[in-house]
Amino acid sequence: MSDTYVVVGAGIVGLYTAYSLVYEAGVSPKDITIAAAHIPGDQSINYTSPWAGGNFSCISPGDKKSLSYDRYTYTHLSEIQKRLGGPSCGLDMRPATDYFHKYPPAKKMESLKEYVKDFRILEKSALPKGIVFGISYTTWNFNCPLFLQNLASFLEKLGVTIIKKKLEHLSQAFLSPNTKVVFNCTGIGAITLGGVKDTNVYPTRGQVVVIKAPHIQFNMCLWSNESATYIIPRPNSNGELVMGGFLQKGISTGDTFKHETEDIIKRATKMAPQILDRPLDVVRVAAGLRPSRHGGPRIELEEVEDGKLVIHNYGASGYGYQGGWGMAHDAVRLLIKAQRASQASL
Ligand SMILES: Cc1cc2nc3c(=O)[nH]c(=O)nc-3n(C[C@H](O)[C@H](O)[C@H](O)COP(=O)(O)OP(=O)(O)OC[C@H]3O[C@@H](n4cnc5c(N)ncnc54)[C@H](O)[C@@H]3O)c2cc1C
């Protein structure tokens, strides 16, 4: 075990980052330690990743960087799926339909069209009442808690060390004098972590209702100004379906509310009445906090004393699964660039 490279955070962004360090930067897994207050298997309102839906959808913004994070992740996920042993790892593809109450950014649609499987713009005549635009495609679906566990175990088997450790200050991530590079993948923790305390980060609360519905094997989303209604089947879960949701900016409670549960069920079953072909069987109701950030994710290199580096990689908001590997790729590229520059100056 060595802690030359320390990744702070064991959410999806931290795990993608450790994976990218190994497979994209060629770092030996034995030189990587992931240090996190919460690790796969834990449940906390301060640990977002287990609560995600999670799929690849139209939730992310249409700016150039977000489009590139999404594209990179979508087009590379089959590699992780293969390395983790196939779809039973909790990552698989399913059909998807997204409906819009107002037109999505044209640039986003042009980008998706280039790489998303089976992408199709729906005929106006095929759209439900009140919908102005719709697309269908084949998407990635994550069984988030299972996928996190499997990705973490995979990294551990390679030789990456995972330790539970809550930091008060980012400087504590330099676990020993050997530590040269720290990746800060603390998600919502970036608000409070000393040395970071990023005032641009804020929570966007969501509540989900998980039901048993093995007969629903497709994704559907309805995007409107004030809410998002979605259904997301969970691969390798014995037929669980995640129904949502809410995008409540600045709300940080982990409590769940009965009126929100009722509202989600009402909206989801109106959008996809097939759900009610079987009696509604609620397995769980949960809430999570998306790590949103004014200005988008922070992927930035800071040189600290003696040439040691901190690379920030947080702020994935509602798209850590669908864009997080693209973020990790960019964060790791910053490292590669810095290492090349320092070699060139020798
Ligand atoms: C209801 C809901 C539905 C969602 N659906 C989707 C979806 O369908 N698709 C999608 O792509 N995304 C979805 N998301 C968003 C996704 O869950 C997040 O983008 C993602 O989980 C963020 O991952 P992260 O690794 O940045 O943060 P986290 O998962 O919160 O991980 C942060 C890590 O940092 C650690 N940490 C923080 N502070 C400290 C500290 N001081 N010391 C040590 N460790 C620390 C934590 O313990 C944890 O290990 C959804 C989110 C919610 C809430």
Side-chain angles (χ1 to χ4, degrees):
M1 168 204 163
S2 142
D3 46 26
T4 311
Y5 298 83
V6 174
V7 177
V8 187
I12 188 61
V13 174
L15 298 182
Y16 276 147
T17 300
Y19 181 96
S20 296
L21 270 175
V22 175
Y23 288 106
E24 298 180 323
V27 171
S28 164
K30 293 192 173 50
D31 289 338
I32 303 172
T33 294
I34 298 175
H38 309 94
I39 61 171
D42 291 344
Q43 291 192 353
S44 161
I45 193 59
N46 296 316
Y47 185 30
T48 308
S49 294
W51 308 117
N55 67 359
F56 181 102
S57 74
C58 289
I59 193 167
S60 52
D63 63 279
K64 211 170 148 193
K65 280 189 179 166
S66 304
L67 295 180
S68 79
Y69 302 147
D70 279 0
R71 185 185 188 120
Y72 189 88
T73 309
Y74 185 100
T75 54
H76 286 77
L77 276 172
S78 55
E79 177 194 311
I80 288 195
Q81 187 200 42
K82 204 166 156 199
R83 284 214 166 97
L84 267 60
S88 61
C89 71
L91 172 65
D92 204 359
M93 297 198 99
R94 299 276 187 277
T97 307
D98 281 38
Y99 291 123
F100 300 83
H101 274 178
K102 66 170 196 186
Y103 284 96
K107 279 208 172 112
K108 188 171 176 76
M109 292 303 122
E110 282 158 24
S111 173
L112 293 177
K113 197 163 69 182
E114 282 175 10
Y115 66 88
V116 163
K117 278 189 192 165
D118 309 316
F119 182 90
R120 202 161 61 85
I121 294 176
L122 300 177
E123 296 287 336
K124 284 241 180 294
S125 58
L127 300 177
K129 201 166 161 244
I131 302 298
V132 299
F133 189 77
I135 56 172
S136 67
Y137 54 105
T138 299
T139 201
W140 286 107
N141 276 88
F142 300 81
N143 179 337
C144 296
L146 179 70
F147 182 69
L148 278 181
Q149 293 259 20
N150 283 331
L151 185 50
S153 306
F154 173 80
L155 292 167
E156 282 186 307
K157 275 188 206 129
L158 289 180
V160 172
T161 302
I162 301 184
I163 57 168
K164 260 183 108 150
K165 185 176 173 74
K166 178 157 172 27
L167 310 180
E168 300 306 322
H169 196 281
L170 190 60
S171 56
Q172 294 166 338
F174 289 88
L175 297 175
S176 79
N178 293 329
T179 307
K180 292 197 173 73
V181 182
V182 165
F183 284 86
N184 169 21
C185 307
T186 48
I188 205 80
I191 299 175
T192 49
L193 177 61
V196 183
K197 295 204 175 170
D198 187 336
T199 51
N200 284 320
V201 179
Y202 61 93
T204 300
R205 180 183 171 276
Q207 179 165 317
V208 293
V209 180
V210 184
I211 62 167
K212 201 97 183 157
H215 60 303
I216 305 294
Q217 288 301 324
F218 57 88
N219 299 264
M220 194 175 273
C221 297
L222 174 53
W223 304 103
S224 67
N225 284 341
E226 61 289 345
S227 69
T229 304
Y230 54 83
I231 59 168
I232 303 178
R234 274 198 160 151
N236 201 14
S237 69
N238 277 326
E240 285 186 1
L241 181 75
V242 182
M243 306 195 298
F246 292 96
L247 301 164
Q248 297 164 336
K249 290 185 182 176
I251 306 287
S252 56
T253 177
D255 293 346
T256 58
F257 300 102
K258 191 164 173 269
H259 68 274
E260 291 191 350
T261 299
E262 287 166 358
D263 186 44
I264 289 169
I265 293 172
K266 192 170 148 197
R267 282 190 276 133
T269 56
K270 185 173 173 214
M271 178 179 76
Q274 308 92 311
I275 294 171
L276 296 175
D277 286 351
R278 290 167 74 126
L280 206 67
D281 179 3
V282 176
V283 179
R284 189 175 324 113
V285 175
L289 306 179
R290 300 172 181 91
S292 301
R293 184 170 184 273
H294 299 293
R298 181 179 182 200
I299 300 172
E300 191 181 331
L301 181 142
E302 254 187 82
E303 197 167 328
V304 289
E305 60 198 54
D306 303 332
K308 296 189 178 214
L309 303 178
V310 168
I311 299 175
H312 299 281
N313 184 15
Y314 60 83
S317 192
Y319 35 90
Y321 283 86
Q322 77 171 55
W325 189 359
M327 288 169 58
H329 174 71
D330 276 14
V332 165
R333 268 205 320 208
L334 289 179
L335 171 69
I336 294 170
K337 220 170 130 192
Q339 286 177 332
R340 282 194 189 136
S342 91
Q343 274 160 11
S345 69
L346 290 179

